[in-house]
Amino acid sequence: SSGINAEYGDQTLRKHASSVNKMFRTTITTMPLLLNRSIGSVQRVISSPFLTKRWLLTGAFKKDQLLGSVDHYKYHLFVPIEGNPLVWPPKVEKMGGIVEKLDQELKHNEKFNNEGIRVTAIEETRSNKALLFPQRLSISGGLKEQDVTPLLEGIVSNSLAKTFTVEPLKEEFHVFICCHNNRDKKCGNCGPPLVQKFEEELTKRGLSSRVAVYRTSHYGGHRFAGNVIIFNQEGVGDWYGYVKEEDIPILIESMLEGKTYINLWRGRMGLSKEQQIGFASLQGYSG
């Protein structure tokens, strides 16, 4: 009897061990999906503020994934729209109005397919001006759908002033922070505190008149939240990822000194992935 019980116990232990090993292998296999998928039910699992700020931002993603994560493009157009990034729908380009028209024109008009124009929505302000980089121009007048084709033509031919009221931007630096909550909860959780911290630090340093901060729609790489783009006096746009509130002071100092904070650097407008990697190497980046 004792021998039978012992044999039964061994079989039970072996079955239990096999189940645990299978469960472990399944977990290891599915973890990349959990970490890398940014839409659907898996994304919703990792959308709590605690996980976003403590897990995703502190090592769940490798920082070497940041470098070279900005697709090459030539122009960045920021268009003001009604509402708040925290409540905008997941795709602002499906809301109708000028952003949708711009999206359709860039996708389907052969004249603009390969011109490298990126469009991002920003919160509407009293001035209601669109912003264009690297030209560092504001475009006045409340753009409408019928303005889209001449607007894009003016951008690629550098002739906006013929059709629109444009002015050089007054501020030296422009900071764009993704807060697009319904596109990805990580951006909705991370973005607003970064905006607040930026504004606090700028006020404390007496820099509010020199630096403008904007809350934006999704512009790519929400897995790297918090996402920040900083355009300098020359219109050069550096992208940063995994930005936390404690990083803001050094980002401001680097910005003022004309330096790139390479530890959180994703890339730069106008550079290919290879050029971004080469630039980082020259800056002493070691991965």
Side-chain angles (χ1 to χ4, degrees), residues 64-209:
D64 59 7
Q65 294 177 343
L66 282 173
L67 182 56
S69 61
V70 179
D71 293 333
H72 177 268
Y73 71 110
K74 301 176 186 176
Y75 310 97
H76 208 145
L77 178 66
F78 293 90
V79 180
I81 63 173
E82 293 182 356
N84 184 309
L86 293 175
V87 297
W88 286 339
K91 294 190 175 182
V92 294
E93 63 271 23
K94 301 298 183 184
M95 289 175 61
I98 187 169
V99 174
E100 181 168 346
K101 181 67 174 176
L102 281 164
D103 181 68
Q104 293 301 311
E105 194 76 0
L106 289 170
K107 285 179 179 176
H108 303 300
N109 190 327
E110 292 182 359
K111 289 194 298 184
F112 308 121
N113 284 163
N114 299 310
E115 292 297 339
I117 302 173
R118 183 185 291 269
V119 177
T120 300
I122 55 175
E123 284 183 291
E124 192 173 60
T125 62
R126 283 181 296 178
S127 64
N128 197 28
K129 295 179 179 180
L131 311 174
L132 179 65
F133 296 88
Q135 289 87 340
R136 285 182 46 86
L137 293 174
S138 68
I139 306 167
S140 303
L143 296 173
K144 299 178 176 59
E145 291 181 47
Q146 58 265 32
D147 296 322
V148 165
T149 299
L151 173 66
L152 295 176
E153 289 174 342
I155 290 173
V156 299
S157 64
N158 197 27
S159 60
L160 280 173
K162 293 181 179 180
T163 310
F164 301 93
T165 302
V166 298
E167 296 176 328
L169 294 173
K170 297 177 181 178
E171 298 87 357
E172 297 175 55
F173 305 95
H174 293 260
V175 179
F176 298 90
I177 300 173
C178 181
C179 300
H180 198 169
N181 183 65
N182 288 326
R183 183 62 178 262
D184 193 288
K185 298 296 183 185
K186 295 186 293 298
C187 295
N189 291 327
C190 296
L194 294 180
V195 172
Q196 182 177 347
K197 182 64 173 176
F198 253 107
E199 291 175 341
E200 288 174 357
E201 289 291 328
L202 293 172
T203 299
K204 184 169 66 176
R205 298 161 187 253
L207 296 172
S208 297
S209 62

Side-chain angles (χ1 to χ4, degrees), residues 29-97:
T29 301
T30 57
M31 275 302 287
L33 289 174
L34 180 63
L35 293 176
N36 289 314
R37 288 188 59 183
S38 58
I39 58 174
S41 59
V42 173
Q43 183 270 325
R44 289 192 290 272
V45 171
I46 59 174
S47 63
S48 76
F50 177 80
L51 288 178
T52 299
K53 299 189 79 171
R54 299 301 175 195
W55 181 44
L56 296 176
L57 294 178
T58 55
F61 293 122
K62 295 181 180 178
K63 283 194 175 181
D64 59 7
Q65 294 177 343
L66 282 173
L67 182 56
S69 61
V70 179
D71 293 333
H72 177 268
Y73 71 110
K74 301 176 186 176
Y75 310 97
H76 208 145
L77 178 66
F78 293 90
V79 180
I81 63 173
E82 293 182 356
N84 184 309
L86 293 175
V87 297
W88 286 339
K91 294 190 175 182
V92 294
E93 63 271 23
K94 301 298 183 184
M95 289 175 61

